[in-house]
Structure formats: structure tokens, C-alpha cells
Amino acid sequence: MIAIDNLKMQFGSEEILKGISTVFEQGKTNLIIGQSGSGKSVMLKCLIGLLKPVAGSISYHNKPTNEMNLVQQRILREEIGMLFQGGALFDSMTIEENIMFPLRMFSEQSRPKMISRVNEVLNRVNLDGVNNKFPGEISGGMQKRVSIARAIVNNPKYLFCDEPNSGLDPKTATVIDNLIQKITHENDITTIVVTHDMNSVMEIGERINFLKNGILVWKGTQEEIFKTNNQDVTDFVYSSNLFKKIRDVQNKNI
Amino acid sequence: MKYLEDIGSYFLMLRRTFSGFTKGDVLRELIFKEIDDLVMSSLGIVSFIGFFVGGVITLQTALNLTDPIIPKELVAFATRQSIILEFAPTFISIIMAGKVGSFITSSIGSMRVTEQIDALEVMGINSLNYLVFPKVIALLTYPFLIAIAMFLGIFGGLIAGVYGGFVSLDEFIRGLQEDFIPFHLVYAFVKTYVFAFILATVPAWHGYYMKGGALEVGKASTKSFVWTSVLIIFANYIITQLLLS
Ligand SMILES: Nc1ncnc2c1ncn2[C@@H]1O[C@H](COP(=O)(O)OP(=O)(O)OP(=O)(O)O)[C@@H](O)[C@H]1O
Ligand SMILES: [Mg+2]
């Protein structure tokens, strides 16, 4: 469980996050949705400590991060898996080395053991036989899947995904969404997924936080998001023609 | 004001580079890779420039010393002095600021813009130690390149002088041995170590703290080359003042 209280972030005089409070539950896929530029990535970076918020607190299992000592911070970092919006694969390393990297850093396993773990996670993201390629030699969608593999290889307790399925075809996107949800349930971890894809909301939106211009304007579940009267949320949900049509069909049937 | 801030952040960077160490076996691997990327890969260009510039120095000296009272040995003497004192350590380092320096800036800079540095930090790795420390250690082998430049420079001078018919082999060898002061070599290699440290850290700073996208990576490399060479020239002046006067 991760709780944030009155989280504020600004760059220069520009306020990006304007006092956000919410709770991300353990064993659930927690979504952060909102338009481009609403501050989703910035919020995620504050949560994982890459950006230092100007105000507010972040607690991992009721322990505020600013009260942790260096050892506790280090342990926490080892428990975090992060998928960056752009993948952030190390382009000087092969796919295998990329995924093995967290294992090499944090465990004392033998090389064959690490390689078999790498192959296991590669298989989970539906990628086989790319071990010795470099990130520049595989497609964008494949890079994304490799980043997910790297994020989960060390069995994190907290999984952060910044747009895990942007740039993926609908079928692979669904596979990835389901994979994230499955890992979350199986390992009972706290997962936070940033997305602006309504399909993901449909697939894995167990808890949804809607961000607009740095303000948390709505919180709820998958069922609730299609029933709410909040104008900002409905604008976002029904900005896609597909969802508009589904709504219209439903309304006719009623 | 901006400059003071930059200087401050440079020294903070150094402090973080030499603390929070990455796992030993990973670090060792990185150091060997950097030796390969930074030093070994420059062997060809340094040898080429060393040999031909050495030859040119000898030619120029010989062509300008036409007075018959001046002993021919002086050609070799002048070649040796200019190569050991300035040409090999300083001139080659400026070239390396362009080659190695912009490589360091652009590789670290592109890791910055593609969030690879963030990825390291999220994993709890001190990215400065991980990225910069191996480069500093790898460049401890940099004097090896300069020694090769010295040797090939003098050899190039010998070839140009002797085969160009300006001096005899005997005269050239005698000139090389004339008034040799071993401390000049000490001076040259002290300089080289200082330049090596500048070469590793100043471009790293430019890459690490850059902001923006791919275009800015290019701009940062250019800026890094300018500053690295300025600092090398400046350090050269200070060290010469301190050690030779
Ligand atoms: N390092 C930074 N320095 C200055 N401003 C920044 C920085 N990072 C983000 N911003 C600004 O913060 C705002 C929110 O950016 P953010 O990346 O969080 O958007 P987002 O919701 O993730 O959008 P997208 O869906 O397009 O990824 C933007 O206006 C952006 O310009
Ligand atoms: Mg984003």
C-alpha cells in the first residue's frame, strides 16, 4: 500500500501537482489516468523518488519516505520495479543483460540461474529468442515488453508502469495489461499504472485516479467510471468514438 | 553566478562519483569496457597524428635552421623538446577532448534524455559512480597513449630528418641525447594525468546535467569540447608555471 498526502510539485513557478491525496491499494491494479500533460508521469516520478516534491508526504506501508534512513531507502529501491514511458533500456547492453541487470545488482545468484530467470520473464511477456539482440535491433513494442520483463524480474513489491501499452497493437496491449494484473494478484503487490488508454481502464481498472491539470478530480472503480456524472471524467471516457457508440447503443436499449 | 553554480555542481558531482560504490564485479567489467572504448580505440589516430606531426616538426625546424654555424644536432634536440613538453601531452589531449570528450558527453547525455539514468537511480544505483568512476579509472591508462605519441613523434622526426636529407642518423641520435633533463618527462606525465582527469570528468558533467532531447545532446557535446580544451590549456599554463619556472 502506498499513501500520498497533499503532494505538491512544481518546476520553477509552474505548479504541476497541486496537492494530491490518495491511496494505492495492495493487491490491486491502481490506475492513474488523465490527458497528456496532466502530470501523471511527474506524479509517478515523485512516488519513486526521482523527483523531490515541494510539499506533502509519501508513505510505503505507513512508513513515510522522508523518515526512512539510507538503509531503509536502499531496501525499498530494491523492492520497486519501474517501467518508464520510453522504455529506458540500456542500449549498450543486450536484452539478456538488460533484464539480468537488477538480478546482478541485488542478488548473488549464479549466472545460469539468472539466465533461466531471464528466459522465464521473457516468456511471460511473449518474447523468446531475442536474448542476444540489442535494444536498437528490436521494435518499439518489443522494447516495451523487455522493459516490463526487466521491471518484474526481481519480483518487486511495488510495480510502477508509465503507459505500459502505448505503441503496442491491441492484442499485445491486452496481453500486457493482463500480465500486469496477474502478477499483481499472484504476488499480492501494489501496482500503479499510468495510462490514457480506455481499453486498459476496461481491462484492469480496479482502482482509478483521474488527474486533470495536476488536481485529482475523481477517484473510483471501473464500474463507477461509466456511471459518474463528473463532467471531466465523462469527457475523457467518451472522447473515443467507440465508447460514445457503446453508450448510445446502451441508451437506445434502455 | 551561473558559472559559480556550475563549478559547485561539478565538485558535488565529483564527491558523488567517488562514493556509493557499485558492486565490485560490475565495476570491474565497466572499467575494462571503458579502457577499450576510450583508450584502445584511440590508439590508431594518436599514432597517426604523432608520427606525422613529429615529422613536420623536424621538417619545419630543419627548413628554418639554414645557418651553417648552427649544429645539425639542434634539429633533433628541438624536435625532442617540443614533442615531449607540449606536442604529445597537450596537443594530443586537445584532440582527445574532441574524440573521447564528445563521446563521453553524448553517451551520458543520451542516457539522460532516454531516462536510462533515471532507471539506474530507481534501482538504487549511484548513477554517477556507475557512469563516471569507471571512466576516471580507465583514463589512468591514458599516459600510455601519450607515451606512444612521444615515441612515434620522435621516430617520425627521425624518418623525416634523415630520409629528407636534412641530418644524418648519427647527428639526429646525438641531438636526441643532448642536454636531456629527466624532470621534463616527470613534468609531461604530471600534466598528462591532470589532463586525463579533466578529459574524464568535464565531458561527463556536461552529459550528466544536460536537459532536453537529441538536439541538446549535440549542443552539449560541442560545449563540452570547448570547455574541456579551455580547461586543458589553462591547466597546462598553471602546471608549467608551477613545475618549470
Ligand atoms: N523535468 C521537467 N521540468 C520542467 N517541466 C516538466 C518536467 N517534467 C514535466 N514537466 C511538465 O509537467 C507537466 C506534466 O508532465 P507529465 O510528463 O507528468 O505529463 P503526463 O501526464 O505524463 O503526459 P503524457 O500522457 O503525455 O505522458 C508538463 O506540462 C511538462 O511540461
Ligand atoms: Mg507521461
Side-chain angles (χ1 to χ4, degrees), chain A residues 45 89 91 104 106-107, chain B residues 23 29 115-116 123-125:
Chain A
K45 284 183 183 166
L89 294 175
D91 32 41
R104 283 193 71 189
F106 301 129
S107 71
Chain B
K23 245 174 134 181
E29 219 171 83
E115 297 181 315
Q116 293 175 49
M123 294 180 203
I125 293 158

Side-chain angles (χ1 to χ4, degrees), chain A residues 37 40-42 85 162-163 194:
Chain A
K40 304 181 297 292
S41 296
V42 169
Q85 191 163 358
D162 198 346
E163 305 200 4
V194 165

Side-chain angles (χ1 to χ4, degrees), chain A residues 218-232:
Chain A
W218 186 85
K219 243 186 326 193
T221 65
Q222 202 171 32
E223 295 79 44
E224 288 163 356
I225 199 169
F226 293 103
K227 293 180 188 143
T228 177
N229 293 321
N230 185 310
Q231 191 60 42
D232 292 324

